[in-house]
Amino acid sequence: MAKQYDIVIIGAGPAGLAAGLYAGRARMSTLIIEKEKDGGQIVQTAEIENYPGGLLEDSGPSLVARFSAQAEKFGCEKVLDTVREVELDGPVKKIVCNKETYEAKAVIIASGASPSHIGCPGEADFTGKGVSYCATCDAAFFEDFEVYVVGGGDAAVEEAMYLTKFARKVTIIHRRDELRAAKSIQEKAFKNDKLEFMWNSVIKEIRGEGLVNSMIVENTKTGEQTEIVADEEDGIFGIFVFIGFKPATAVFEGKVNMEKGYIVTDQEMRTNVPGVYAAGDCRVKDLRQVITAASDGAIAAWQAARYVDELA
Ligand code: NAP
């Protein structure tokens, strides 16, 4: 028989964990289902300076550990499993996972988003062999090597600065001639001696022998293609890709309203399906941050608890 809860939360990033805390404190029987480890994207973030009240030296993992402990303190259960299918209509929602099936009166979708890929030849072949989407995870492999960072947003520029602590030289490859990143982040980047910029450029192909050792870069204005080859002594270089995210919502397609794969909610995190809420990076919104994810989670849980109370 399926295990039953008042509220099932899908995803243990900042949105899901904040929802777990609020649902637990509302005395709802609550389960968080997470397919990997807690934290979502922020476990891949070296420094989090902009979560109010966070410790200045906080890393993603340390902040997440406190989020998790706090949710568990208020009785929220957690399980490692992958959601395969959902039935969200009606008063009893069914969440079918690889290992178990769960039933809930209300569901909060906090499934987050994952990094976008360039989509060029060689990218998939060399992932983990020179191509990375996580500076915190892989920066140390490139101690004293050259590294290229793709993207021009906050993530690309912040992670590029982080990489300068390890790599000999970091070059940001951006498809336009100005960054999208916040001005305060740009100011720091332009002052960083180890950071260089390759404007109006995109990677067309990644090559190597076992590990990345060359790539073809195209100038978006002139169409001219250049081969960038690893320094002879190094023999390899790194490519870190930070070009935005894709929502992890495939399993909810056709079940709740979406726009370009992101779940549509009202400002109380309600989807178009009664008793189903969405929180964090998986929903349509402008600012995707830890603080906005946590805020979404709190609102979603509060609304879900109200919905469950009204069912009784
Ligand atoms: P983003 O802001 O969407 O920036 C993506 C960057 O990648 C843009 O510069 C974009 O170029 C470029 N890009 C997109 N597709 C590309 C492609 N196929 N090939 C080459 N370049 C491509 O994404 P993000 O930097 O990951 O940030 C996501 C959200 O998290 C944002 O809201 C951001 O503010 C937030 N964030 C905040 C912080 C912080 O405040 N500390 C840190 C990290 C992230 P164009 O500029 O030409 O579009």
Side-chain angles (χ1 to χ4, degrees):
M1 204 177 104
K3 290 191 179 170
Q4 294 171 336
Y5 290 87
D6 290 326
I7 300 177
V8 164
I9 299 164
I10 301 170
L17 292 169
L21 166 64
Y22 273 71
R25 294 191 78 232
R27 301 286 181 262
M28 296 280 126
S29 63
T30 305
L31 175 73
I32 301 182
I33 303 170
E34 168 59 51
K35 69 174 170 15
E36 286 164 358
K37 54 184 172 189
D38 287 7
Q41 290 162 55
I42 67 162
V43 285
Q44 303 187 349
T45 304
E47 285 175 38
I48 302 206
E49 294 180 336
N50 54 2
Y51 188 70
L55 307 171
L56 275 179
E57 67 277 14
D58 247 339
S59 65
S62 66
L63 185 60
V64 160
R66 298 205 303 279
F67 267 60
S68 294
Q70 212 174 349
E72 280 171 33
K73 182 179 164 193
F74 289 99
C76 174
E77 291 176 35
K78 280 196 303 195
V79 70
L80 259 186
D81 210 343
T82 301
V83 177
R84 217 157 18 107
E85 209 187 313
V86 288
E87 286 171 30
L88 300 177
D89 290 330
V92 179
K93 324 287 181 197
K94 211 172 184 187
I95 302 103
V96 182
C97 299
N98 282 347
K99 297 182 210 153
E100 287 260 8
T101 294
Y102 301 95
E103 285 179 358
K105 295 173 185 159
V107 170
I108 299 173
I109 304 169
S111 51
S114 58
S116 297
H117 293 183
I118 306 170
C120 69
E123 182 183 20
D125 299 336
F126 289 101
T127 295
K129 297 171 186 160
V131 176
S132 170
Y133 304 87
C134 175
T136 317
C137 317
D138 298 329
F141 297 126
F142 295 96
E143 184 98 48
D144 286 332
F145 285 96
E146 289 188 358
V147 153
Y148 295 83
V149 169
V150 184
D154 289 344
V157 181
E158 286 203 327
E159 298 305 304
M161 284 193 282
Y162 174 73
L163 283 159
T164 62
K165 296 178 187 170
F166 299 83
R168 189 171 69 237
K169 188 176 101 181
V170 178
T171 305
I172 291 184
I173 301 178
H174 183 36
R175 64 182 178 183
R176 293 186 295 131
D177 61 1
E178 73 180 334
L179 298 172
R180 177 182 292 278
K183 291 283 180 266
S184 61
I185 297 177
Q186 291 193 30
E187 281 162 19
K188 277 199 219 166
F190 290 134
K191 281 188 201 145
N192 189 319
D193 292 340
K194 283 171 91 178
L195 205 52
E196 294 188 4
F197 295 86
M198 200 180 276
W199 302 110
N200 301 313
S201 299
V202 290
I203 298 180
K204 298 302 281 186
E205 189 177 343
I206 297 169
R207 298 172 177 169
E209 284 156 39
L211 298 171
V212 172
N213 64 16
S214 79
M215 65 180 161
I216 304 293
V217 175
E218 184 176 275
N219 185 301
T220 53
K221 292 256 155 101
T222 63
E224 189 189 345
Q225 294 198 344
T226 314
E227 183 175 19
I228 294 178
V229 181
D231 176 271
E232 214 169 302
E233 277 190 22
D234 294 346
I236 59 154
F237 58 80
I239 300 173
F240 285 79
V241 182
F242 302 105
I243 58 172
F245 295 93
K246 273 206 205 98
T249 54
V251 79
F252 310 108
E253 245 161 65
K255 311 281 179 172
V256 290
N257 281 349
M258 292 191 196
E259 254 170 38
K260 294 183 184 158
Y262 289 92
I263 298 169
V264 178
T265 69
D266 66 8
Q267 62 179 10
E268 302 299 339
M269 309 304 139
R270 299 182 196 103
T271 68
N272 62 310
V273 181
V276 180
Y277 305 79
D281 286 7
C282 66
R283 74 178 191 95
V284 174
K285 60 180 187 170
D286 283 337
L287 185 62
R288 294 193 169 84
Q289 299 278 286
V290 179
I291 187 170
T292 59
S295 164
D296 285 1
I299 295 168
W302 191 80
Q303 289 293 349
R306 224 168 93 164
Y307 171 87
V308 170
D309 281 341
E310 281 167 11
L311 284 180

